[in-house]
Amino acid sequence: YHDCIYTFTLYGEYVGKFGSYGSGSVQFVSPYDITVDLYGFILVADTGNKRVQIFDKHHNYIHQFGGSDVLGSCNGLTVSSTGNIYVTDCDNEEIQMFSR
């Protein structure tokens, strides 16, 4: 129910969803934040899996980074104008920067 990403039009009309519960690609445990980078890639803070997953505009899995050895509970993310990815890590009380 909550371990997926819902998509809507700019007018708030429901389009669909992608993902399911789990720890594999295109699976989430409590996704908490989402953003789009300069190239149109979708980044999802997969909080329960302690990682960030990246998808193309058609929701195809591209890449992931993080993991329990790198990130704690990632509760927010943003992308700078230079493409750096900033992730808030509440478990470790820090903001981490990742370059593309």
Side-chain angles (χ1 to χ4, degrees):
Y1 173 65
H2 294 292
D3 296 308
C4 62
I5 305 301
Y6 293 92
T7 58
F8 299 86
T9 67
L10 291 174
Y11 304 104
E13 299 164 335
Y14 176 76
V15 174
K17 65 179 181 173
F18 69 98
S20 61
Y21 177 81
S23 59
S25 300
V26 199
Q27 292 186 318
F28 307 99
V29 176
S30 300
Y32 198 83
D33 198 11
I34 188 168
T35 193
V36 178
D37 74 5
L38 305 168
Y39 308 103
F41 289 101
I42 302 163
L43 291 83
V44 178
D46 186 4
T47 303
N49 286 316
K50 301 178 187 240
R51 65 184 178 184
V52 174
Q53 292 194 62
I54 302 174
F55 303 90
D56 67 15
K57 66 181 180 179
H58 302 291
H59 311 148
N60 297 306
Y61 174 82
I62 302 296
H63 180 67
Q64 69 181 22
F65 64 90
S68 59
D69 58 330
V70 177
L71 283 172
S73 179
C74 48
N75 295 99
L77 59 110
T78 191
V79 180
S80 72
S81 60
T82 59
N84 291 325
I85 302 164
Y86 293 87
V87 182
T88 58
D89 181 344
C90 291
D91 287 350
N92 296 312
E93 298 179 349
E94 62 186 7
I95 298 172
Q96 294 196 44
M97 193 254 326
F98 299 89
S99 43
R100 195 78 164 149

